[in-house]
Amino acid sequence: MVSEIIYFVTFALVGIGLVTLVLGLSKLLQTRKPNEIKLSTYESGIAVTGDPRIQYKMRYYVFGLLLVLFDVEMIFLFPWAVVFKSLGLFAFVEMLVFIAIILLGLFYAWRKGALKWV
Amino acid sequence: MLSSAELLNFANSHGIPLWAMDAFIAALIALGLFAAMGLGFMVQVYMERKVSAGLQLRYGPIYVGPKGSLQLVADALKFITKEDVFPSSAEPWIFRLAPVVMFAAAFLGLLVLPFGPGLVAKDLNVGLIYVLAIPSIGVAGVIMAGFGSKNRYAILGSLRAAAQMISYEVPRSLSLIGIIMIAGTMRLSSIVDGQGIWYIFLQPLGFLVFFVATMAELNRTPFDLAESESEYVNGYHTEYSGMRFGFFFFAEYMSLFAAALLTAVLFLGGWHGPGPVILAPVWLLIKVFGVIYVLMWVRWTFPRFRIDQVMDLGWKVLLPMALVNILVTGIIMSV
């Protein structure tokens, strides 16, 4: 277990380190000639008005909530699937009931129009 | 190749703590993988350009090197020597960190992917869940790129990309439950060992859902809403240039390779093939590039979906299909 965590951390550090290294190298090699126009925000040639970080529509967050819902479902499904063979019919029916309850929620959201992207 | 017992002895006799030994070996493997991915990146981009050219009756790159094969070396040099413009209105740290997060997330996914029997950095017993979970941290990089740029196109692009990626993650993961039920394990090498019959034949519906969701997850046409040029320039990396953009590009092709490798490992029998064991990685690579070719073929053949069609396909078609797949697999296995 410890060994696996060490591998994970090392991979993360090497990944981040290499990106930083190459970006640093690129910084040394490139010629920088910034000017005001070049550094301005790209907006197809017109001046930017207002803060672009606007409030986004509420619908967007429903998808986030649905993701959380199904991710939690998956957390239960994965271990269940691993030991599926030894569990027998009872556990299978149990899981079907569980999925059915969550599907009910999905269909409710569907009927309410929450899944519609407008 | 040193065996782990010899390494243990070496560590013990020289008084090196075990964790340092582990970290050192992991770092060497990571560097090797980075180099391999760099090479794979060039091969894939060259392939993409030649395949797209072939499909559109063009030549593709022909001038640099024999048949244009050194074009990507020239491109890499250009990336690294080009000025990367740092927009004055950008959030400095979020803007800087976004490509790092994208790249590191895609790179960490390689930790559990097997390239042949025993050829894997760390064969975790939760390999499958890991390979689905860790690369999706990249969504955070997409959002950071959008918000850090303070650019309208980038923000819209990143929000759409994030919505699409989290939506397709659900059917993509659920479509693999059937495989776990048959294999009874989440260790990727054991899943390959268990494939007397390729799982694509046992799980055709699961494969279909997984493949379509993978395409969407990779943001490739017909699902390239994240960077649909005709709608908002270049999506979340509109403001990026030079090597910073290069890393987004690199991460994208690394994910493509990882996704193709995962498809080959889970559905196409991994490294199984005729001939001696030494040919196993070759068979795996042939399958991987076959999958990559199909992904490119699809990309350059189909037009782009509309965003509402994309979301509908994910939630209203693929998700029920993935659940039906679990149901059917369960019934067949119980009876």
Side-chain angles (χ1 to χ4, degrees), chain B residues 209-231:
Chain B
V209 174
F210 179 77
F211 202 64
V212 174
T214 299
M215 252 181 262
E217 200 67 357
L218 293 169
N219 286 328
R220 291 172 75 78
T221 326
F223 303 103
D224 68 337
L225 278 305
E227 40 188 285
S228 45
E229 303 87 346
S230 48
E231 287 168 37

Side-chain angles (χ1 to χ4, degrees), chain A residues 13-96:
Chain A
L13 289 179
V14 169
I16 294 167
L18 282 170
V19 179
T20 322
L21 195 76
V22 176
L23 284 178
L25 188 70
S26 154
K27 203 160 211 166
L28 290 177
L29 290 173
Q30 62 186 257
T31 37
R32 285 178 165 269
K33 281 185 188 161
N35 62 47
E36 204 187 324
I37 303 286
K38 195 193 270 179
L39 295 185
S40 63
T41 304
Y42 179 79
E43 186 90 41
S44 303
I46 50 170
V48 184
T49 46
D51 191 345
R53 291 178 299 182
I54 40 150
Q55 284 189 326
Y56 211 60
K57 60 176 181 278
M58 191 59 203
R59 284 272 165 82
Y60 186 81
Y61 302 98
V62 176
F63 287 99
L65 282 174
L66 280 171
L67 170 82
V68 173
L69 177 75
F70 276 93
D71 263 2
V72 172
E73 184 191 352
M74 266 184 272
I75 291 294
F76 291 114
L77 268 172
F78 273 97
W80 167 80
V82 172
V83 289
F84 175 74
K85 276 178 194 160
S86 53
L87 284 179
L89 197 61
F90 178 69
F92 181 52
V93 176
E94 285 263 279
M95 190 46 86
L96 286 187

Side-chain angles (χ1 to χ4, degrees), chain A residues 3-4 6-8 18-19 26 30 38-39 41-42 44 49 53 60 63 67 74 78 85 103 110, chain B residues 19 22 80 83-84 87-89 91 103 122 124 150-153 159 166 173 180 182 239 315:
Chain A
S3 162
E4 275 126 27
I6 290 172
Y7 265 72
F8 179 80
L18 282 170
V19 179
S26 154
Q30 62 186 257
K38 195 193 270 179
L39 295 185
T41 304
Y42 179 79
S44 303
T49 46
R53 291 178 299 182
Y60 186 81
F63 287 99
L67 170 82
M74 266 184 272
F78 273 97
K85 276 178 194 160
L103 267 187
W110 187 338
Chain B
W19 63 265
D22 257 350
I80 210 162
E83 173 178 6
D84 64 61
S88 47
S89 63
E91 295 277 354
F103 182 84
K122 199 81 200 172
L124 299 182
K150 271 203 192 172
N151 175 319
R152 270 174 229 276
Y153 298 119
L159 286 171
I166 62 173
S173 312
I180 305 174
I182 297 173
E239 290 286 2
W315 287 105

